[in-house]
Amino acid sequence: MKKRLLILMTSLLTLTSCSKTEKKENSSDITDTTTSDENNISDPENDVITLNYLAPDSMSDSEKKLIEEFNAADNGYNIKLVSYNDMYEYTPVDGDSDYVGNPTDESIRNVRITMLQAISSGEIDIISSNAVDPSTFDIFMSNDAFSDLYDFMENDPEINTSTLNSSVLKACETDGKLFSYPLMYGIKTLAGYPEYAGTKENITIDEFIELWEAMPEGSTICGSNTQRYVYMNVLREQFGSFIDYKKGKASFDSPEFIKLLEFCGSFYPDNGYKPEPDHYTIDLASNVYLNSFKDFHDVFHDYNNKDHEITFIGYPSDCGMNSFITTEYHGVAINSKASSKKQQGAWEYIKLLSGEKAQYDLCVYEDANLGNKIAQHGYPVNNTAFDKVSEEHMNGKVDMDSYTVGGVPVEPEAITSPELERLKNYIASINHLYKALDRDLFEMLEEETLLYFNGAQSAEQTAKMLQNRAEIYVSELQ
């Protein structure tokens, strides 16, 4: 590892708010441990193999129950949750020792180094993508640090590309290999009314610009006609697409990126102020996040439940196919340096996660006390679970949050059969995975881009600076 790796200090924890939080001895529900040699030794009495799972702090109740079920089964394996929370040190907020803010930079660095060493040495057997920062996880995938899950699926009659959504799995591939299994997924895209956005789904940059130039005076994109807001919603969402972690390369100096940057720069200056979006203007397109069956239905209905058509144009790109599958609900990977027995045990756990019941429970919460079912965010990857959850949504068996318009309660409507078919077809058309950036890299790119909007450098100069800084950053992570 190069020196840059040793000072890698970004973490999902650093993206949390600095607002006051009550000081706790242990803020996680996960058992705090540190990896040691004893974690890798099977129990001599019953020969149970321990699987060390580097899990996210905010693990869902459904997955916690699944781990309990896995450990209770007579399968020869036992999952041990690994956390490094005790290593974090916190700075008091406003000098008040009863409240803490974010972890100190030094403790973040120490935790990061410890995590990386544990994974590299094979002490960790199962890794959650939410337990490390996005760039680090992508680097591990690019360098084959994780096992190819397709190898396990190949001879498995229960969990394979036929029982799971093959389109979603393909979007998650790296060079044809599947290094991480997504527990659930969503969709991130741009969408607009056909009278303005046309009827073609997934459009190119030139087609997007042509649509904008035909818009009426006073129109907006995502509720704004200012530089930074358009940049945030049209270009910044695609930053991960301009980085290739496997090759240690970036493509911010491409004509595609420069064209998009100049397009964003053609809007009104913000003068350092980011106004709130105006939802009453004529919009070419808006950001759409689809994380449930209700979300998809609501796209075709306004707040008064009036029907309207929608075109999913995607984020403009040269390939014209830049809608994204999102796996923010975290993926699970198997350490390729773990022993073959441990890898097989890790696969048995992923199989349990991938099964119909587990996938259903992740997307639908059944309240035993009230006797009702409550929809959760995310679509199941398991095909049978997807069909079951969608059918229950259509038949009104899953409760959804109501909302008000002008103080009048409006009951949500269920997804219809035609809408469900369109959702399935749209999912099958998406072949890109949304890539989040860690905080260091994000702030670096943001700094250079905002210099362009402030008039300090040209689009070409900005692209060159972004290219240089991003490639140095990514290459030093290799």
Side-chain angles (χ1 to χ4, degrees), residues 16-78:
T16 57
S17 170
C18 292
S19 60
K20 288 189 175 183
T21 306
E22 288 193 25
K23 189 176 183 179
K24 298 181 181 180
E25 293 298 319
N26 185 356
S27 61
S28 173
D29 292 331
I30 294 176
T31 303
D32 281 341
T33 73
T34 55
T35 54
S36 63
D37 290 341
E38 65 180 15
N39 292 339
N40 299 306
I41 302 175
S42 60
D43 188 331
E45 294 184 2
N46 54 19
D47 201 31
V48 173
I49 297 175
T50 297
L51 302 173
N52 294 315
Y53 182 10
L54 182 56
D57 294 335
S58 55
M59 178 180 285
S60 69
D61 291 337
S62 296
E63 189 176 357
K64 290 177 185 177
K65 292 178 181 178
L66 208 64
I67 291 175
E68 292 175 1
E69 178 184 334
F70 182 86
N71 288 345
D74 185 17
N75 57 16
Y77 297 99
N78 184 78

Side-chain angles (χ1 to χ4, degrees), residues 55 133 140 311 340 382-383 399 420 446 461:
D133 62 76
F140 272 104
T311 302
S340 58
N382 182 287
N383 293 329
D399 291 344
L420 179 60
E446 189 83 346
Q461 290 172 324

Side-chain angles (χ1 to χ4, degrees), residues 282-352:
I282 298 176
D283 236 4
L284 169 59
S286 297
N287 256 315
V288 175
Y289 307 108
L290 304 170
N291 293 313
S292 70
F293 295 99
K294 177 182 179 296
D295 285 348
F296 195 78
H297 169 80
D298 288 349
V299 167
F300 301 98
H301 304 269
D302 60 22
Y303 288 114
N304 295 311
N305 273 334
K306 182 180 179 182
D307 296 355
H308 55 72
E309 189 49 66
I310 282 290
T311 302
F312 299 107
I313 62 175
Y315 298 98
S317 64
D318 278 354
C319 68
M321 293 292 289
N322 246 17
S323 294
F324 297 106
I325 292 292
T326 65
T327 57
E328 57 189 295
Y329 308 101
H330 92 77
V332 181
I334 298 175
N335 194 343
S336 63
K337 294 188 177 180
S339 68
S340 58
K341 287 186 177 180
K342 286 196 168 191
Q343 288 193 45
Q344 185 59 44
W347 171 246
E348 293 301 320
Y349 175 63
I350 291 179
K351 279 182 62 176
L352 193 61

Side-chain angles (χ1 to χ4, degrees), residues 402-426:
S402 60
Y403 54 90
T404 61
V405 175
V408 179
V410 176
E411 289 301 319
E413 292 183 348
I415 189 171
T416 65
S417 182
E419 290 169 352
L420 179 60
E421 285 305 308
R422 184 167 179 186
L423 172 60
K424 290 179 179 180
N425 292 332
Y426 189 56

